[in-house]
């Protein structure tokens, strides 16, 4: 997926955060990030995922955090060359889509959500955000938290292809959670259960589907001057998004980090196959009404 080079980027929708020292590297907290955040805990508070590996065993290394300068991100050309600018362009696109789609489709007003782009670690009402937690949406302040270095980890350690839409899928997924929050659905992930049929998994797969809905309409989204933000998607773009969906499947992460062991009872986000399938459901239909994961047992 390529941004139109002359499109404008709106940096007012993001904040460049700065924290203290990095807690650690890796994406060990990915299995916990949203469910724990919903419950008001700290995703880095330790404890086992139930798959035979502990989050704290995955946190390795450390470095100092740096300020994120978003002022460099002005145009679509910047979004094509730089991960931080690509996050901003994706935020702009997703919010442009949902600000029109929610009122038109279900008569519900969309409200914008800020994204905090940071390097290292920063604090949120849902706990410490770092690249160890992975990107997440915090409903307490209605903000998305992303360490841009997560994308390197997603590719180098978990096998996503590193393409633009792989990265943009991650951002769109988190804004899917914001849409769920607006619709009053997000709390249904707080059933205290884990496993393939749990409320948390259903919430995550729905967010994948909502990311697919956005992708279906992405080439129609516009900047604040009416310029089209994104060029039409190609098959390679969709394959890139699917590679990211597969990379963050519970089974794949457990296989990579747990010595090949898979424990479905501990799942919080869904299998790679399910995450890919629900993204495609949203992408092919372009209709958020096709994303009701609570209406089926076929997850």
């Amino acid at each position: 997926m390529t941004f139109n080079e002359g499109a404008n980027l709106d940096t007012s929708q993001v904040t460049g955060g700065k924290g203290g020292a990095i807690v650690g590297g890796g994406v060990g907290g990915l299995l916990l990030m949203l469910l724990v955040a919903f419950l008001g805990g700290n995703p880095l508070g330790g404890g086992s995922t139930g798959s035979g590996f502990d989050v704290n065993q995955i946190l390795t290394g450390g470095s100092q955090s740096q300020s994120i300068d978003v002022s460099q991100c002005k145009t679509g050309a910047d979004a094509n060359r730089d991960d931080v600018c690509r996050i901003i362009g994706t935020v702009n696109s997703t919010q442009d889509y949902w600000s029109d789609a929610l009122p038109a489709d279900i008569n519900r007003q969309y409200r914008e959500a800020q994204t905090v782009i940071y390097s290292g670690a920063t604090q949120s009402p849902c706990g410490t955000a770092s690249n160890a937690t992975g990107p997440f949406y915090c409903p307490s302040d209605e903000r998305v938290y992303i360490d841009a270095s997560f994308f390197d980890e997603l590719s180098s350690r978990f096998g996503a292809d590193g393409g633009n839409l792989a990265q943009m899928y991650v951002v769109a997924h988190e804004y899917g959670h914001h849409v769920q929050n607006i619709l009053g659905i997000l709390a249904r992930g707080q059933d205290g259960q884990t496993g393939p049929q749990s409320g948390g998994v259903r919430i995550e797969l729905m967010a994948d589907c909502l990311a697919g809905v956005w992708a279906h309409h992405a080439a129609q989204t516009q900047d604040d001057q009416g310029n089209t933000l994104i060029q039409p998607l190609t098959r390679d773009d969709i394959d890139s998004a699917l590679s990211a969906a597969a990379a963050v499947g519970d089974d794949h992460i457990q296989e990579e980090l747990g010595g090949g062991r898979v424990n479905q009872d501990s799942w919080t986000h869904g299998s790679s196959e399910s995450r890919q399938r629900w993204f495609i459901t949203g992408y092919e239909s372009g209709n958020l009404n096709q994303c009701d994961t609570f209406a089926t047992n076929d997850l």
Side-chain angles (χ1 to χ4, degrees), residues 217-294:
H217 299 278
Q220 285 76 54
T221 58
Q222 298 179 338
D223 65 13
D224 55 6
Q225 300 297 314
N227 302 308
T228 302
L229 277 165
I230 293 170
Q231 296 179 8
L233 274 64
T234 67
R235 182 66 234 183
D236 286 344
D237 291 326
I238 300 305
D239 289 343
S240 180
L242 292 175
S243 77
V248 293
D250 283 328
D251 53 344
H252 179 69
I253 292 178
Q254 288 179 340
E255 288 172 352
E256 290 294 312
L257 301 180
R261 295 185 297 272
V262 173
N263 179 6
Q264 292 190 18
D265 291 340
S266 69
W267 287 3
T268 58
H269 288 68
S271 69
S272 294
E273 185 277 331
S274 292
R275 302 200 70 167
Q276 290 179 314
R277 177 158 44 84
W278 280 99
F279 175 83
I280 287 295
T281 296
Y283 174 69
E284 290 183 347
S285 69
N287 184 349
L288 66 87
N289 292 312
Q290 299 300 311
C291 295
D292 187 359
T293 54
F294 288 89

Side-chain angles (χ1 to χ4, degrees), residues 21-284:
I22 275 184
V23 176
V27 293
L30 185 60
L31 294 177
L32 300 176
M33 63 179 178
L34 198 62
L35 186 60
V36 176
F38 286 164
L39 301 177
N42 184 339
L44 297 182
S48 172
T49 64
S51 63
F53 56 89
D54 189 279
V55 173
N56 294 308
Q57 294 175 355
I58 303 163
L59 306 183
T60 59
S63 61
Q64 295 298 314
S65 65
Q66 302 174 2
S67 297
I68 297 295
D69 179 14
V70 300
S71 65
Q72 62 175 319
C73 302
K74 301 180 184 302
T75 68
D78 298 323
N80 287 333
R81 64 167 179 79
D82 182 83
D83 286 352
V84 169
C85 300
R86 191 172 304 115
I87 292 171
I88 295 170
T90 309
V91 170
N92 294 167
S93 177
T94 55
Q95 299 215 101
D96 179 66
Y97 172 68
W98 289 116
S99 64
D100 291 333
L102 285 192
D105 293 345
I106 57 175
N107 196 30
R108 188 69 63 92
Q109 189 63 43
Y110 181 79
R111 54 184 181 268
E112 288 194 350
Q114 285 268 313
T115 284
V116 179
I117 308 174
Y118 64 92
S119 174
T122 192
Q123 292 299 316
S124 82
C126 294
T128 300
S130 79
N131 67 348
T133 64
F136 67 89
Y137 171 74
C138 181
S140 298
D141 63 356
E142 296 194 342
R143 288 188 170 193
V144 172
Y145 291 80
I146 297 179
D147 184 334
S149 68
F150 170 79
F151 297 132
D152 292 334
E153 190 80 1
L154 189 66
S155 299
S156 63
R157 192 168 189 182
F158 292 94
D161 71 2
N164 287 2
L165 196 59
Q167 298 180 5
M168 296 165 76
Y169 151 81
V170 172
V171 179
H173 172 97
E174 299 308 331
Y175 273 88
H177 288 311
H178 181 54
V179 170
Q180 292 169 331
N181 194 31
I182 292 172
L183 299 180
I185 298 172
L186 193 57
R188 297 183 71 177
Q190 299 183 41
D191 62 0
Q193 304 297 313
T194 58
Q197 299 293 324
S198 64
V201 166
R202 292 176 188 274
I203 283 292
E204 294 297 333
L205 295 179
M206 184 186 297
D208 286 332
C209 185
L210 294 174
V213 172
W214 160 77
H216 178 95
H217 299 278
Q220 285 76 54
T221 58
Q222 298 179 338
D223 65 13
D224 55 6
Q225 300 297 314
N227 302 308
T228 302
L229 277 165
I230 293 170
Q231 296 179 8
L233 274 64
T234 67
R235 182 66 234 183
D236 286 344
D237 291 326
I238 300 305
D239 289 343
S240 180
L242 292 175
S243 77
V248 293
D250 283 328
D251 53 344
H252 179 69
I253 292 178
Q254 288 179 340
E255 288 172 352
E256 290 294 312
L257 301 180
R261 295 185 297 272
V262 173
N263 179 6
Q264 292 190 18
D265 291 340
S266 69
W267 287 3
T268 58
H269 288 68
S271 69
S272 294
E273 185 277 331
S274 292
R275 302 200 70 167
Q276 290 179 314
R277 177 158 44 84
W278 280 99
F279 175 83
I280 287 295
T281 296
Y283 174 69
E284 290 183 347

